[in-house]
Amino acid sequence: MTIQSLRYIVAVAEAGSITEAAKKLHISQPSLSAAVKEAEREVGFKVFHINIKKIRTFSYAEGPKEYGLE
């Protein structure tokens, strides 16, 4: 996993939306979604729980922000 992948994950967690995070990162929403899915595949677990209204991190995914990987 790259530092960029971690930044993407943090941006999505902070924005609460892949679409909003993509706007802030100036990348397309499909590209960001693919990057997040690839990062989740690499670590072997889902980082986000996504439903129709919002996105949230699973409790074990709270670490990145705590460790300054923003």
Side-chain angles (χ1 to χ4, degrees):
M1 180 182 305
T2 65
I3 294 295
Q4 188 65 46
S5 295
L6 292 173
R7 287 186 179 125
Y8 287 170
I9 289 169
V10 169
V12 172
E14 289 178 342
S17 158
I18 290 178
T19 302
E20 290 304 312
K23 288 177 186 177
K24 290 179 183 179
L25 294 165
H26 305 287
I27 63 172
S28 71
Q29 182 272 326
S31 295
L32 181 55
S33 292
V36 169
K37 284 180 186 177
E38 176 61 19
E40 288 177 331
R41 187 193 64 74
E42 287 181 28
V43 298
F45 58 86
K46 290 281 195 186
V47 177
F48 297 107
H49 173 72
I50 302 170
N51 71 29
I52 218 137
K53 294 187 179 192
K54 64 180 179 177
I55 187 168
R56 63 181 173 87
T57 57
F58 284 107
S59 60
Y60 55 74
E62 297 298 330
K65 193 170 181 183
E66 291 176 2
Y67 292 104
L69 299 174
E70 301 184 56

